[in-house]
């Protein structure tokens, strides 16, 4: 490898998957310098020949204690090694959802900024909080992207028990005319949000799906936001539990390219998995949807008020549906061929006891839809004025360096008659200095 020219090495590394590329930083200083270069990361993120990894699930344990703040570790469910740790955030922050290669960290305290981070590199981009809105009881953040427009947007949903329901949008990396938070002219239908710790929003095919609830009852609707057009509408869940007077835990997640919801009525011993089928061919502006019952998982009956933690996700390693209920995880093998379409798997055949937590302040959740990337949020989403100021500061620094170096006349022995530029000889050519990667 020492005889391979650096340009060829860069082309080879560009073809590696993201996680393999991140591990290659430990090979040698040259490889580390290439992978850490911001222009190389941008090229790798935009490379069409790189095989895109399938969406996977992140496991994020969070520990909060007085005087410590938030200690958060980001891991992939498919790997035993942590991707990164955050120890410099206040205790009021928590992840909301994953969007491609980024994770959104939002506060439970109003007027605090939000952060867009890359779990592979640990870089964070700070986004100023939206303007204040009076009489707001709950806030919820979500991050989405549109494959058709290649845009990334932040959404803040504001709820009020007095009937005010605002939607605010922030276009990441937008131009001067579209910078900053802006309020959507249309309010979304009446629904009450349960705050930051609701089930994580799901991003699928350029649309965000957010489980909502009405009149402080059980969740019975899903708010759908089209990231590109910002149009939003409501879909009913497969069963209207509020009308029956029953409370249920509803969790949405991606199941092999389709939206799936796990519905668990409190006090019952079954979890039903429903898949949404959308018809976009109708003539109306709002697509039609219907639900198809796919699986039923038998679990131990939960408490009446649903105080135990819940969660649902798909384990892509073995094709198992996973459902968390308190300190137990139940798994359903979707690869089995069964005669019945809605096969029910008994809980005593597939339950897993979770290890006890050493701290009462430790909580964890899973976030689906993650695809590893080395792209820096600063380069991808920094606003145009920020980038212009950054370029001016960089040019001023370069001019100052050239002026300082030009003040010292080199000796004749060190003068070269070769045309300025880099030699093509990988052995005897001039060594190129590298600008280290940074966050700003």
């Amino acid at each position: 490898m020492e005889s391979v020219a650096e340009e060829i090495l860069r082309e080879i590394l560009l073809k590696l998957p993201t996680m393999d590329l991140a591990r290659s930083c430990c090979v040698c200083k040259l490889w580390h310098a290439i992978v850490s270069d911001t222009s190389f990361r941008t090229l790798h993120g935009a490379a069409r020949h790189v095989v895109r990894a399938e969406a996977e699930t992140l496991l994020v344990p969070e520990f909060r204690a007085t005087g410590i703040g938030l200690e958060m570790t980001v891991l992939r469910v498919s790997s035993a090694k942590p991707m990164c740790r955050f120890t410099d955030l206040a205790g009021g922050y928590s992840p909301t959802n994953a969007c491609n290669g980024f994770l959104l960290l939002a506060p439970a305290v109003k007027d605090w900024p939000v952060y867009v981070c890359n779990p592979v590199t640990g870089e964070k981009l700070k986004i100023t909080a939206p303007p204040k809105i009076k009489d707001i009881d709950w806030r919820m953040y979500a991050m989405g992207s549109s494959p058709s427009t290649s845009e990334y947007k932040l959404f803040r949903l504001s709820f009020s028990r007095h009937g005010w329901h605002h939607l605010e949008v922030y276009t990441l990396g937008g131009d001067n005319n579209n910078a900053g938070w802006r309020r959507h002219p249309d309010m979304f239908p009446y629904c009450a949000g349960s705050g930051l710790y609701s089930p994580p929003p799901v991003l699928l095919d350029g649309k965000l799906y957010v489980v909502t609830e009405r009149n402080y009852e059980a969740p019975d609707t899903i708010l759908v936001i089209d990231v590109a057009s910002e149009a939003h509408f409501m879909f009913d869940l497969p069963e209207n539990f509020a009308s029956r007077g029953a409370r249920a835990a509803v969790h949405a997640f991606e199941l092999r390219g389709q939206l799936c919801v796990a519905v668990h009525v409190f006090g019952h011993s079954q979890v039903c998995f429903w898949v949404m089928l959308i018809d976009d061919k109708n003539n109306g502006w709002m697509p039609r949807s219907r639900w198809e019952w796919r699986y039923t998982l038998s679990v131990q009956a939960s408490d009446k008020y649903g105080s135990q933690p819940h969660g649902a996700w798909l384990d892509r390693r073995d094709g198992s549906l996973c459902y968390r209920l308190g300190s137990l995880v139940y798994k359903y093998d979707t690869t089995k061929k069964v005669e019945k379409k809605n096969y029910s798997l008994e809980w005593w055949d597939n339950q897993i006891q979770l290890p006890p937590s050493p701290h009462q302040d430790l909580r964890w959740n899973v976030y689906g839809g993650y695809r590893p990337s080395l792209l820096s949020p600063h380069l991808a989403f920094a606003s145009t004025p920020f980038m212009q100021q950054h370029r001016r500061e960089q040019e001023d620094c370069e001019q100052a360096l050239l002026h300082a170096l030009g003040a010292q006349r080199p000796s004749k022995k060190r003068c070269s008659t070769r045309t300025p530029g880099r030699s093509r000889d990988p052995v005897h050519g001039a060594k190129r200095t590298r600008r280290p990667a940074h966050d700003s």
Side-chain angles (χ1 to χ4, degrees), residues 397-416:
C397 179
E398 292 173 353
Q399 292 296 329
L401 287 174
L402 289 174
H403 178 75
L405 295 175
Q408 299 178 0
R409 178 173 295 182
S411 62
K412 293 183 179 180
K413 294 183 179 179
R414 294 185 178 180
C415 290
S416 175

Side-chain angles (χ1 to χ4, degrees), residues 188-233:
F188 52 87
Y190 177 71
C191 59
S194 54
L196 181 65
Y197 304 111
S198 298
V202 178
L203 177 66
L204 184 61
D205 295 333
K207 293 182 177 61
L208 275 169
Y209 296 87
V210 184
V211 177
T212 63
E213 58 186 37
R214 295 179 181 175
N215 300 325
Y216 311 102
E217 296 293 342
D220 61 350
T221 56
I222 283 187
L223 174 65
V224 184
I225 305 175
D226 184 81
V227 177
S229 64
E230 300 173 10
H232 44 275
F233 38 87

